[in-house]
Amino acid sequence: QVHLVESGGGLVQAGGSLRLSCVASSTFSINAIGWYRQAPGNQREMVAGISSGGRTKYADSVKGRFTISRDNAENTVDLQMNSLKPEDTAVYYCNAGALSASGTYVPYNYWGQGTQVTVSS
């Protein structure tokens, strides 16, 4: 069993920052945690992922603006989002999965409930 709880979403103006947090609890070891987002009418897309060892993966659209980090002792994964754009508006979901040696993030079917991020222009 995996339980994921997101927090930290909200409304921010373009150019602003938000920090999302995901608290994970599991009966087994989680290889990686990822953040996904889904805007209305769009497919859910991977934003960033981090392995238990600290390897990271970012979508091209957020490189240089978003930073993913994790605290293994606290079982939390944060997503620091800077220089936000209106196109970052979406529901953001935390996911438990795996980050391969080649850098591919593979989502397992464990998702949080999502947190809304809205960026106004």
Side-chain angles (χ1 to χ4, degrees):
Q1 284 283 10
V2 177
H3 190 54
L4 304 167
V5 179
E6 304 99 334
S7 63
L11 172 64
V12 65
Q13 288 188 330
S17 299
L18 281 175
R19 189 176 184 89
L20 306 183
S21 290
C22 173
V23 179
S25 60
S26 175
T27 57
F28 58 89
S29 178
I30 298 174
N31 176 273
I33 294 289
W35 282 97
Y36 279 70
R37 66 187 181 188
Q38 188 168 19
N42 290 358
Q43 289 188 333
R44 194 171 294 189
E45 62 175 357
M46 197 277 288
V47 175
I50 187 167
S51 72
S52 57
R55 288 183 299 114
T56 58
K57 167 77 172 181
Y58 293 94
D60 288 343
S61 59
V62 306
K63 282 181 181 177
R65 299 189 298 122
F66 291 11
T67 302
I68 191 169
S69 60
R70 69 186 293 164
D71 184 332
N72 288 333
E74 297 292 330
N75 294 323
T76 59
V77 172
D78 290 348
L79 184 69
Q80 177 66 42
M81 306 185 296
N82 298 328
S83 302
L84 283 161
K85 304 175 181 180
E87 51 263 43
D88 295 317
T89 295
V91 178
Y92 283 69
Y93 297 90
C94 185
N95 170 266
L99 184 59
S100 72
S102 63
T104 300
Y105 184 88
V106 178
Y108 297 159
N109 196 25
Y110 300 111
W111 299 92
Q113 82 286 353
T115 185
Q116 176 71 45
V117 171
T118 303
V119 184
S120 63
S121 58

